[in-house]
Amino acid sequence: TTQAGVTRAGQLRLGERAGRSEVLSRRPRGRQARRRISAAPSRALRNASSLSGEAVQELESEYLLGTYAGARPAGLSFVRGEGCNLYDAAGKKYLDFSSGIAVNCLGHSDPQWTSVVGEQLKTLVHVSNLYSTEPAALLAKELCEAASPWAKKAFFVNSGTEANEAAIKFARKYQKTKKNDPPS
């Protein structure tokens, strides 16, 4: 079994193996930090389907905030998807009715979508709204033309919270401009 704990010196102790524990600083610095951060996700993704559903849920209970505690079916963990179907490690097929709770409504592993995203990943992944990019400008143009005549500008956000905050600010701005206009 793997055990983790924090020592008095503020270091994280991981996995007791053969009577020897690995000690890692809580905040690795420099090259060590970059190596650990960049290596962890690729290792986790590479071995994603090698764990049983129970093992995945044990890791979740230890390392993930229990947002949906008790809602997940015991021992079930999905390893891949195709269209509207999900598959567990044993290859059992499930129909995905939740669409990532409105995040992934396009289905899983669509060949056209993965091809387009794969090509985009070779150029730009994400650039802040502080800077201009051709894909963002072209998408804004396409959205406004499709929503014409009422949409003259697009506003890109990262979350529902940002969208709600922007809607409130736009409503306030609109109200202020209307107060200054004399009635017609």
Side-chain angles (χ1 to χ4, degrees):
T1 62
T2 302
Q3 298 175 354
V6 179
T7 67
R8 285 184 187 249
Q11 295 175 323
L12 184 63
R13 187 186 74 225
L14 298 172
E16 307 253 346
R17 293 190 186 124
R20 194 177 127 229
S21 65
E22 299 175 39
V23 178
L24 302 172
S25 169
R26 256 197 187 168
R27 293 190 178 113
R29 304 198 188 279
R31 214 176 314 171
Q32 181 187 10
R34 285 190 298 275
R35 184 171 42 244
R36 185 164 305 129
I37 290 168
S38 65
S42 62
R43 230 180 289 133
L45 292 174
R46 188 170 52 244
N47 298 325
S49 63
S50 65
L51 298 174
S52 69
E54 292 84 4
V56 169
Q57 289 182 348
E58 280 182 37
L59 285 172
E60 286 180 339
S61 69
E62 187 171 349
Y63 296 106
L64 273 178
L65 187 61
T67 311
Y68 299 105
R72 292 186 171 112
L76 180 62
S77 174
F78 297 117
V79 296
R80 67 182 186 90
E82 285 179 21
C84 62
N85 297 308
L86 293 169
Y87 297 86
D88 65 13
K92 187 174 178 185
K93 182 176 168 181
Y94 298 82
L95 186 58
D96 183 3
F97 280 109
S98 65
S99 296
I101 308 179
V103 174
N104 177 20
C105 62
L106 302 174
H108 302 275
S109 306
D110 177 73
Q112 184 180 3
W113 185 82
T114 55
S115 172
V116 170
V117 170
E119 287 303 310
Q120 184 60 46
L121 290 173
K122 294 175 186 175
T123 57
L124 292 172
V125 176
H126 173 266
V127 176
S128 170
N129 289 350
L130 292 170
Y131 308 105
S132 300
T133 66
E134 184 178 321
L138 292 174
L139 176 60
K141 178 181 185 279
E142 191 173 329
L143 289 170
C144 289
E145 288 174 351
S148 183
W150 63 268
K152 304 221 184 317
K153 300 272 185 177
F155 182 66
F156 298 133
V157 294
N158 190 46
S159 67
T161 301
E162 289 176 358
N164 289 332
E165 181 182 1
I168 292 166
K169 288 179 178 179
F170 290 143
R172 283 180 168 167
K173 183 173 182 166
Y174 177 80
Q175 184 61 34
K176 283 182 182 179
T177 60
K178 288 299 171 190
K179 277 186 180 178
N180 295 333
D181 286 347
S184 33

